[in-house]
Amino acid sequence: IADMILERKLNKLEARIDSKFPFAEDLPRNVKDVMIEMCYQLGVGGFSKFKQTITLLRLGNYKEAADEMLDSRWATQTPNRAQKLASIVRNA
């Protein structure tokens, strides 16, 4: 049951991300998964504050987007997660 609840939450979250950030549908799956994970952790509103990262993702500039992700309070607060997710984006 817990897996079903989580799957529903993630599906709703992904739909919300696609609505707020239409370019996300065209991202490589692993990059979109990073967005989903960040939005799950921070909320869509919290992720929305990563304006430069979002712009760079939309432009397909993944290396700079990863750098911007790491230049944040979020990266300081959750360094292991931030490094892992930035690495995924950087290598997309």
Side-chain angles (χ1 to χ4, degrees):
I1 293 175
D3 287 339
M4 288 174 27
I5 292 169
L6 178 61
E7 187 174 339
R8 282 189 204 139
K9 283 182 84 169
L10 291 174
N11 288 339
K12 283 183 180 180
L13 179 59
E14 186 170 358
R16 191 161 172 226
I17 290 167
D18 289 343
S19 175
K20 181 146 179 84
F21 310 106
F23 70 89
E25 293 183 56
D26 299 324
L27 292 173
R29 186 67 222 187
N30 58 344
V31 175
K32 186 171 184 182
D33 286 345
V34 167
M35 282 183 69
I36 293 168
E37 186 167 338
M38 289 181 72
C39 287
Y40 188 85
Q41 180 186 6
L42 301 167
V44 174
F47 179 74
S48 295
K49 295 176 184 175
F50 284 72
K51 294 184 186 312
Q52 190 63 23
T53 299
I54 292 166
T55 297
L56 292 163
L57 289 173
R58 185 174 44 79
L59 296 172
N61 190 337
Y62 303 127
K63 287 183 172 72
E64 286 187 41
D67 292 341
E68 286 294 322
M69 290 167 61
L70 295 175
D71 186 23
S72 66
R73 186 170 46 158
W74 166 74
T76 304
Q77 293 172 339
T78 56
N80 293 338
R81 177 179 286 183
Q83 286 290 335
K84 176 184 154 211
L85 296 180
S87 177
I88 291 168
V89 171
R90 180 173 283 109
N91 295 312

